[in-house]
Amino acid sequence: MSARERALRVLTACRTRGAWADAALAHALAELTPADAALCSRLVYGVLQNELLLDFYLSAYCTQKLDHLQPPLADILRLGAYQILFLDRVPDNAAVHTSVDLAKSAGRGAASGLVNAVLRKLCRERETLPAIPERDEAKYLSIRYSHPRWMVKRLLALLGREETEALLSAGNSQPPIAAQVNTLRFDTDQAAASLEAGGVGTRVHPWLPDCLLLERTGGLERLEAFQAGAFYVQDPAARLAVLAAGLKPGSRVLDVCAAPGGKSFAAAIAMRDQGEIISCDLHENKLTRIRAGAERLGLTSIQTAAADGRVRRAEWRNGFDAVLVDAPCSGLGILRKKPDIRRKRADDLFTLPVIQSAILDNAAEYVRPGGVLIYSTCTILPEENEDVTRAFLGAHPDFFQEGFRLPEPIGETEGQMTLWPHRHGTDGFYICRMTRRG
């Protein structure tokens, strides 16, 4: 099965089964060469990142409405259009021919003429594509950057036009993979050398110590550096949430929503693997992955526990120097990594602050007097961030917001901050540090 056939299969799974692209891709990439795997990933994420824009142009040349076409014809057209408009290394003829072949192999041979005609017209008129109407600012930006209109309107209210456009553009970018160095086993130079020996391109992160940005990775698990526990993959923003806690060797830490384990790993390394970290998740399969990661990295301070963040554990009351709450959220800060999150509707977000507040209220019981409670999310909406922590502090006078310092150029904070992809080059991420009065 070719890279394009597998890309179509992933997109079909996203439409018909509600599958997430990253999970579906994990199966689709099996047995593909590195080059084909890279093309397959690029096609899937490219179509999802640019879907509204692709549909706008295709609708100008297709006599039928895209949502009236038999599945998976609309996605076949999108795959072809994406290659024509965005991939310089794919010749137009190849994009058209492979799309026609996809229609035939998908049992839609009768529509292959439509696919051929629409894509050939798109090729001919690529330099004179129809202009996106600009009368409605939110609608224009929604189409131009393929983000849902409700989200664009919310961002315009938060950031204004210039920054909103910068953030939307960043949401369609391809970020490098960030590798946090396991400094208990390797220094940064040693980790970089080991990665480069495996054919991976590395560069030092511009401001976060012991962090490498990777290119040409392929499958990381195959690398000797990975197997030796030289690094783990984690966005800089998530590691900053751990740095905000100010952990020291000997600390006792509870990671309430720990999967896939990055914050627990960062905490163990910050503590020199001296102390105790309890990493929690509801699902045993996720706890198994955390244990496997800790073993690979040689971290012995991490234990796992199956736990619901909203259900009280009496034996943990007042028992931890630091409690980390990376709450379930809308994920709007990681759109560049998970573009199918933009399928969410505004209504999907209404219940999240209730869940976030319940977890935070419960986690507060586990913080000892003088201890620290870190609340973080991978979203940028105030209703999931500042509004939640403000309500928490109002209901818990025994906690106060305390400033923390992060590496420059961020520097000193007043106890909370939002990281933005277009400003900081990280995931969109919120961090708040609250300390329990002694």
Side-chain angles (χ1 to χ4, degrees), residues 1 118 130 137 142 159-160 227 329 355 378 397 403-404 421 428 430:
M1 187 180 294
V118 170
E137 184 178 47
S142 173
L159 299 173
Q227 296 166 5
C329 69
I355 297 170
C378 55
F404 55 91
Y430 173 76

Side-chain angles (χ1 to χ4, degrees), residues 101-157:
D101 289 342
L102 276 181
K104 294 176 180 177
S105 64
R108 298 289 181 262
S112 59
L114 179 146
V115 172
N116 183 68
V118 170
L119 295 182
R120 287 200 178 282
K121 191 163 187 180
L122 186 65
C123 292
R124 289 195 302 270
E125 302 193 15
R126 179 169 44 191
E127 302 304 322
T128 56
L129 294 170
I132 304 169
E134 297 192 43
R135 293 185 301 274
D136 183 326
E137 184 178 47
K139 184 177 181 181
Y140 168 79
L141 292 173
S142 173
I143 295 171
R144 171 68 182 82
Y145 295 100
S146 294
H147 286 65
R149 190 175 178 186
W150 70 262
M151 190 186 303
V152 174
K153 292 176 72 173
R154 186 74 186 91
L155 292 173
L156 285 169

